[in-house]
Amino acid sequence: MEISHGSYNQKKFALPVDSEHKATEFRLFSAAAPHMRAFHLSWISFFACFVSTFAAPPLLPIIRDNLDLTATDIGNAGIAAVSGAVFARIAMGTACDLFGPRLASATLTLLTAPAVYCTSIADSPISFLLVRFFTGFSLATFVSTQFWMSSLFSGRVVGTANGVAGGWGNLGGGATQLIMPLVFDLIQNIGATKFTAWRIAFFIPALFQTLSAYGIFFLGQDLPDGNYSELHKSGEKHKDNFAQVFHHAVTNYRGWILALTYGYCFGVELTIDNIIAQYFYDRFNVNLHTAGIIAASFGLANLFSRPGGGMLSDFMAKRFGMRGRLWTLWVVQTLGGVFCIILGQVGSLGVSVAVMLVFSVFVQAACGLTFGVVPFVSRRSLGIISGMTGGGGNVGAVLTQVIFFRGSRYSTETGLTLMGVMMICCTLLITLIYFPQWGGMFCGPSSKGKTTEEDYYMSEWSSSEREKGFHRASLKFSENSRSERGRKIGSAATPIDGTPNTYV
Amino acid sequence: MAINRFLFASVFVCCLVATCDGIVSFNSLKPTLTVTATHKGGVLKAGVDNVTVTWMLDPSVPAGTDSSYKTIKVKLCYAPVSQVDRGWRKTKDDLSKDKTCSHKIVAKPYVAGGAVATATWTVQRDVPTAKYFVRAYAHDAADMEVAYGQTTSADKKTNLFDIEAVTGRHVSLDIASVCFSAFSVVSLFGFFFLERRKTKIAEAK
């Protein structure tokens, strides 16, 4: 157990920590401040946002009659629900870099709660689309969740922490398919008519969201040593320059590749959340309740599959380092694509449900595996990289729904098969990711010149910034990220002098 | 020729199997009932206005046609214009999958003898805004449809009426939504204020 020395008071943490005070262990059943408490606060609020965003689909049979919606209206609202978060996630990444995940996520959650409250007063297809659009912005809390976990947990457990937080949040998309019909039935039994009961039902996710934001504000903490605002004032953390943070994020090609590949695991997951109940209802003629339960089970697999992906990423990293993380991500996501193709081809109900469940495990594990790699792409611009990747997920969902699941160009089963093919093709891009200090899928770490973790992360800071000491946190991170070399200590050399090369 | 006969026989058997299975085709039903629906003019309001439905056996059908009729189920059905781009209201020939007539008006036992039966129905509060007509199905003792009658023509274009749904909104709900929304935003600014105060205190130390 390391307790850091420093100019500030010695702090004792409930979990073992590294030199950055990030926890090196992940204890699920602890709520100790600041690490595990932040974990629970962040997954619960992300869960609440998912519940709100996908609260409408299970009640659509009632809402479409009340608001006189056509199938096109419903499709457009579904696309709107996931498209808002594309830019919100990038903005959230920036906000986390600049203001810290605690304020950023509490702010977004509270600002999108009114959209959920106002779903109760929607009275036309346009107002329905608008409330779904603005509610969808809340899915950007995904970025603050991942950023927060990456700030509090060390490389050894960051995949697990990210995977469990992300997975249990995504669970909301499945849980809502069960929760909302139950709440609706309850309110109807109390005496409300159908067209009023669904409106009242929306207050539940809205209140849940509001309360989770309060929890984050009062109980959460950005970093092990304190909140951004306190650390900024005391000088321990310098307030970074937005233009520089943005520049280092968009010029890092790995961020763009991961954004696209995430679009074909998480984007696929969001698409399925929107269309799968209808698919089973129409193709296999199950009743609406059964279709809802099948749809819920897809999302509920997130309980273990996304965390499983994160844990698998950490496990592979222990033996094979970053190369292990990349290979596993490629294999799992490609298999997800294969099962998606099979899902579109299968014609019997039982086999279809079984294939869907296997498919859900692979596609959600791929999401967890992606965020085992993301924390290492950049230290300075972690927020924007997380935001780009997260936003890419939503772009994938929008693209896929527009190309394959809108109108009657393709039947839903053909759409599923084609979506699987597109998954396999886009996942091939992972082969292009290369870290000079650790290698890529097909190449080992660079042996020429100076290629250490320090070189890679220090290249994000100019020499004048280094003179002022702004890079200290990245330096600590580089030391701690040596674990990404795997069991064999790699052939990467330590720098002889103090001027590392710049790596793109 | 043998193949033709085989095909014909298999289709025939399939039809028999279909009826044994309980699949009733709408096209196989004859319109032997005369159905009328009267209501106030203009757009009917759900939960408020009434529709009076009458039905009787068409006098021109041969005697004995109604020997199997046991129950008459009268339903509210969507006009084609209200089914456009709404797959959940689709008309299908297989009556067990047909979604055209999803709202029950009334079900009454069939009284033979050619008398006119009536029923008055208040439009229920969960009926959506759309154009409608009324159709009555005659069911036999096994509760299978054996005949029908409707207020509109065969192409479902004439004699349609409009119903306007309830909004489901209430003033109290509107007020609650607005208040809770405003409270969320105001509490956010409260947080920012608290945060600033905390850092000022930490600075002062």
Side-chain angles (χ1 to χ4, degrees):
Chain A
M1 179 168 325
E2 283 179 39
I3 300 173
S4 160
H5 48 278
S7 54
Y8 41 86
N9 297 329
Q10 265 201 342
K11 281 189 188 155
K12 250 183 123 183
F13 295 104
L15 272 66
V17 295
D18 63 14
S19 66
E20 290 174 279
H21 292 172
K22 290 187 182 179
T24 53
E25 265 176 40
F26 180 76
R27 288 196 201 140
L28 191 57
F29 298 109
S30 150
H35 307 95
M36 293 315 299
R37 187 186 286 186
F39 163 75
H40 288 293
L41 288 169
S42 66
W43 84 256
I44 289 176
S45 79
F46 183 43
F47 178 92
C49 294
F50 242 96
V51 168
S52 305
T53 305
F54 292 100
L59 296 182
L60 267 176
I62 319 290
I63 300 177
R64 68 191 178 198
D65 278 346
N66 192 182
L67 303 184
D68 202 21
L69 303 175
T70 63
T72 308
D73 292 330
I74 294 175
N76 287 340
I79 294 174
V82 294
S83 57
V86 172
F87 291 107
R89 284 181 163 202
I90 301 174
M92 182 60 128
T94 314
C96 284
D97 278 326
L98 301 176
F99 306 113
R102 174 180 153 261
L103 277 185
S105 75
T107 304
L108 181 70
T109 312
L110 275 182
L111 283 180
T112 48
V116 190
Y117 288 117
C118 290
T119 311
S120 308
I121 56 183
D123 61 356
S124 65
I126 297 203
S127 53
F128 182 65
L129 184 134
L130 284 174
V131 290
R132 282 211 77 188
F133 177 66
F134 287 112
T135 306
F137 276 60
S138 67
L139 288 185
T141 45
F142 166 73
V143 176
S144 58
T145 302
Q146 304 291 288
F147 183 97
W148 211 352
M149 296 301 99
S150 304
S151 308
L152 292 174
F153 291 90
S154 75
R156 280 169 51 186
V157 288
V158 74
T160 306
N162 276 344
V164 183
W168 287 11
N170 279 17
L171 211 57
T176 195
Q177 313 258 10
L178 298 171
I179 294 175
M180 292 306 284
L182 275 174
V183 171
F184 171 76
D185 275 340
L186 199 71
I187 296 175
Q188 252 201 311
N189 288 341
I190 292 178
T193 59
K194 264 192 192 166
F195 288 176
T196 305
W198 77 263
R199 296 172 183 276
I200 301 177
F202 269 83
F203 273 80
I204 304 300
L207 281 169
F208 185 21
Q209 206 176 306
T210 312
L211 290 173
S212 68
Y214 288 3
I216 288 186
F217 181 80
F218 287 113
L219 301 172
Q221 191 175 294
D222 290 314
L223 291 168
D225 299 326
N227 287 316
Y228 270 40
S229 46
E230 296 151 14
L231 298 175
H232 283 161
K233 285 280 187 302
S234 69
E236 279 164 47
K237 185 180 189 332
H238 99 279
K239 198 163 181 187
D240 210 343
N241 174 296
F242 170 67
Q244 284 299 308
V245 169
F246 188 75
H247 172 258
H248 286 292
V250 300
T251 51
N252 193 329
Y253 75 94
R254 300 167 196 86
W256 292 103
I257 292 183
L258 287 173
L260 180 60
T261 60
Y262 196 60
Y264 280 90
C265 57
F266 182 64
V268 165
E269 186 184 333
L270 287 182
T271 303
I272 298 275
D273 275 340
N274 264 337
I275 62 131
I276 199 74
Q278 257 179 307
Y279 171 67
F280 278 96
Y281 183 78
D282 290 334
R283 191 168 183 201
F284 301 104
N285 289 309
V286 295
N287 66 37
L288 209 67
H289 267 204
T290 311
I293 293 175
I294 298 175
S297 62
F298 175 83
L300 290 176
N302 264 302
L303 181 69
F304 55 85
S305 48
R306 190 174 173 137
M311 284 187 243
L312 184 61
S313 187
D314 287 336
F315 176 75
M316 296 304 283
K318 251 192 262 183
R319 311 178 97 193
F320 304 109
M322 176 56 69
R323 295 183 74 184
R325 292 191 197 263
L326 291 170
W327 266 102
T328 319
L329 171 57
W330 179 78
V331 167
V332 169
Q333 194 160 321
T334 304
L335 281 175
V338 167
F339 282 106
C340 192
I341 294 176
I342 297 177
L343 181 64
Q345 301 292 311
V346 162
S348 85
L349 177 61
V351 182
S352 193
V353 173
V355 171
M356 185 203 74
L357 289 173
V358 176
F359 164 62
S360 72
V361 171
F362 277 92
V363 93
Q364 289 159 8
C367 297
L369 282 154
T370 308
F371 275 85
V373 176
V374 165
F376 298 100
V377 169
S378 162
R379 181 60 190 87
R380 186 173 188 182
S381 314
L382 172 64
I384 300 192
I385 297 276
S386 299
M388 276 164 60
T389 310
N394 285 62
V395 169
V398 172
L399 267 178
T400 314
Q401 281 178 93
V402 167
I403 299 174
F404 300 126
F405 298 105
R406 195 169 174 241
S408 15
R409 192 134 153 257
Y410 300 108
S411 67
T412 309
E413 48 266 31
T414 312
L416 284 171
T417 305
L418 293 174
M419 182 166 77
V421 172
M422 199 157 176
M423 274 177 82
I424 297 180
C425 295
C426 291
T427 307
L428 282 171
L429 287 171
I430 295 175
T431 52
L432 299 178
I433 296 183
Y434 179 74
F435 288 91
Q437 69 275 34
W438 299 315
M441 272 173 74
F442 298 119
C443 311
S446 169
S447 46
K448 59 175 195 290
K450 299 146 189 169
T451 50
T452 64
E453 290 80 1
E454 276 83 8
D455 298 330
Y456 180 79
Y457 292 109
M458 286 305 107
S459 66
E460 295 181 317
W461 301 92
S462 67
S463 40
S464 58
E465 287 169 328
R466 265 180 265 135
E467 265 166 48
K468 293 183 206 151
F470 293 161
H471 66 296
R472 265 185 270 131
S474 289
L475 204 54
K476 282 191 205 160
F477 180 75
S478 332
E479 285 167 32
N480 292 320
S481 68
R482 286 226 187 101
S483 55
E484 295 309 303
R485 294 189 191 178
R487 215 161 258 174
K488 284 187 293 186
I489 302 298
S491 53
T494 41
I496 307 162
D497 59 38
T499 47
N501 297 335
T502 322
Y503 284 99
V504 174
Chain B
M1 289 325 286
I3 294 183
N4 281 352
R5 255 198 240 156
F6 174 73
L7 279 174
F8 176 78
S10 48
V11 169
F12 182 69
V13 169
C14 283
C15 289
L16 286 181
V17 169
T19 41
C20 288
D21 226 6
I23 296 174
V24 182
S25 147
F26 182 71
N27 290 333
S28 70
L29 298 183
K30 300 257 177 344
T32 61
L33 300 173
T34 309
V35 185
T36 64
T38 43
H39 48 81
K40 82 166 219 268
V43 176
L44 301 177
K45 285 202 164 42
V48 175
D49 294 323
N50 296 331
V51 177
T52 306
V53 187
T54 72
W55 62 94
M56 63 181 218
L57 189 66
D58 187 347
S60 60
V61 302
T65 319
D66 60 346
S67 51
S68 56
Y69 299 3
K70 283 284 177 294
T71 335
I72 303 289
K73 290 190 184 165
V74 187
K75 294 185 177 169
L76 191 66
C77 310
Y78 295 108
V81 66
S82 293
Q83 292 174 300
V84 169
D85 204 13
R86 290 180 174 90
W88 58 90
R89 294 180 185 168
K90 212 164 169 193
T91 300
K92 285 215 172 114
D93 194 45
D94 177 355
L95 281 177
S96 64
K97 299 200 178 128
D98 180 44
K99 303 272 194 313
T100 322
C101 302
S102 350
H103 300 276
K104 287 208 181 72
I105 292 181
V106 72
K108 279 211 175 141
Y110 177 68
V111 178
V116 178
T118 356
T120 302
W121 177 71
T122 310
V123 182
Q124 283 187 305
R125 295 178 69 90
D126 63 354
V127 172
T129 302
K131 270 190 168 16
Y132 295 91
F133 62 94
V134 176
R135 183 185 285 170
Y137 286 107
H139 290 249
D140 64 11
D143 205 25
M144 307 290 302
E145 294 87 346
V146 290
Y148 78 99
Q150 60 190 26
T151 58
T152 184
S153 56
D155 61 358
K156 300 183 270 183
K157 294 238 169 76
T158 60
N159 202 18
L160 305 168
F161 56 96
D162 289 281
I163 294 181
E164 191 189 310
V166 299
T167 62
R169 289 176 61 180
H170 289 276
V171 176
S172 47
L173 257 184
D174 294 353
I175 295 177
S177 292
V178 171
C179 283
F180 277 97
S181 304
F183 184 71
S184 303
V185 178
V186 166
S187 55
L188 180 66
F189 287 108
F191 287 173
F192 288 155
F193 175 72
L194 271 176
E195 189 74 4
R196 198 160 279 175
R197 240 186 41 183
K198 247 200 305 186
T199 51
K200 284 219 174 89
I201 291 173
E203 213 176 298
K205 277 203 190 135

